[in-house]
Amino acid sequence: GENVEQHPSTLSVQEGDSAVIKCTYSDSASNYFPWYKQELGKRPQLIIDIRSNVGEKKDQRIAVTLNKTAKHFSLHITETQPEDSAVYFCAASKGSTLGRLYFGRGTQLTVWP
Amino acid sequence: DAGVIQSPRHEVTEMGQEVTLRCKPISGHDYLFWYRQTMMRGLELLIYFNNNVPIDDSGMPEDRFSAKMPNASFSTLKIQPSEPRDSAVYFCASNRKDSAGNTIYFGEGSWLTVV
């Protein structure tokens, strides 16, 4: 099966700084890579995703990059705000197993005002 | 859309008791997933269904766990007998095959404490 590794496990930044979270995956057949944000006591919610035919995708302060050759993808948050504080999960899946997401272990992001 | 609906939201039970968690997926979604989240193990897929049929239950920890999906709008996850190590948040999620890809949508979770 797929193995997704995520780093770092914790990340602290000052408000306004950028944050980068990195993930690697093992199965070259994986073609869909979503990122979920989970606030304390809440459910994981999709914030951005990227498919294997795209190298980068941006949505306001959030961007995701994908390097298929190296089998890694990253989440970039610019101009961080205290409300960005949460646990972020990366995941990977492939079309042959629709919806079966393999999750990383998560990154606890803390943004200090 | 009301989203994925789970019940109960919180349950505290004594070791040895039976626990039943319930889930109503988003209308029109034909995939349903049960995940368990703990600090130690992160998000684990327990089982998932397609069109009410279990596809992969390899994540179910042991025979004490069972899951059913009698129809397209309802699923249960049962633990019998429960043990303290089953304490976790259990998430139900659903999705539908479409051109948008494999995004899944989580319910609010059921917080289970076994004492």
Side-chain angles (χ1 to χ4, degrees):
Chain A
E2 174 67 278
N3 181 41
V4 177
E5 296 196 356
Q6 182 172 348
H7 300 280
S9 58
T10 61
L11 179 60
S12 292
V13 299
Q14 203 73 31
E15 182 177 4
D17 288 349
S18 295
V20 180
I21 303 171
K22 299 181 179 182
C23 289
T24 61
Y25 60 100
S26 60
D27 191 340
S28 57
S30 290
N31 57 10
Y32 175 69
F33 309 93
W35 286 87
Y36 284 80
K37 175 183 180 182
Q38 187 178 27
E39 297 176 348
L40 188 63
K42 304 283 189 177
R43 62 183 161 182
Q45 290 194 292
L46 180 73
I47 55 172
I48 194 167
D49 57 14
I50 191 168
R51 288 165 182 79
S52 58
N53 59 344
V54 176
E56 183 175 357
K57 183 177 180 181
K58 188 173 182 180
D59 182 4
Q60 299 183 340
R61 297 186 296 108
I62 296 173
V64 58
T65 58
L66 171 65
N67 183 326
K68 284 202 68 181
T69 303
K71 289 191 282 191
H72 70 69
F73 56 112
S74 301
L75 178 71
H76 305 254
I77 306 174
T78 59
E79 301 173 24
T80 54
Q81 301 167 3
E83 50 264 41
D84 294 330
S85 297
V87 178
Y88 291 81
F89 292 94
C90 63
S93 75
K94 49 189 176 184
S96 61
T97 52
L98 178 68
R100 201 220 190 280
L101 294 176
Y102 296 84
F103 283 92
R105 291 300 303 271
T107 297
Q108 172 68 62
L109 173 65
T110 303
V111 180
W112 300 101
Chain B
D1 196 319
V4 177
I5 299 172
Q6 291 186 245
S7 65
R9 291 295 316 281
H10 300 271
E11 176 143 353
V12 180
T13 191
E14 291 186 346
M15 181 173 63
Q17 296 298 305
E18 178 179 291
V19 174
T20 299
L21 308 179
R22 298 172 178 79
C23 176
K24 175 180 169 54
I26 294 172
S27 178
H29 283 193
D30 51 2
Y31 284 81
L32 183 141
F33 307 83
W34 283 100
Y35 282 88
R36 178 173 68 177
Q37 186 175 34
T38 61
M39 288 295 294
M40 292 297 295
R41 302 175 67 90
L43 271 166
E44 301 175 273
L45 178 65
L46 301 178
I47 185 172
Y48 78 95
F49 297 82
N50 177 220
N51 290 325
N52 313 338
V53 176
I55 302 300
D56 183 353
D57 65 354
S58 59
M60 295 288 262
E62 48 197 91
D63 291 346
R64 296 185 298 107
F65 285 69
S66 62
K68 294 182 179 180
M69 192 166 185
N71 58 63
S73 59
F74 184 66
S75 177
T76 60
L77 178 67
K78 189 172 294 187
I79 309 172
Q80 166 63 19
S82 58
E83 296 181 3
R85 61 190 168 123
D86 300 331
S87 298
V89 183
Y90 291 82
F91 286 103
C92 178
S94 71
N95 80 344
R96 172 175 58 91
K97 181 179 174 66
D98 60 22
S99 59
N102 299 352
T103 302
I104 67 171
Y105 300 89
F106 286 88
E108 297 283 359
S110 292
W111 297 68
L112 174 64
T113 302
V114 183
V115 298

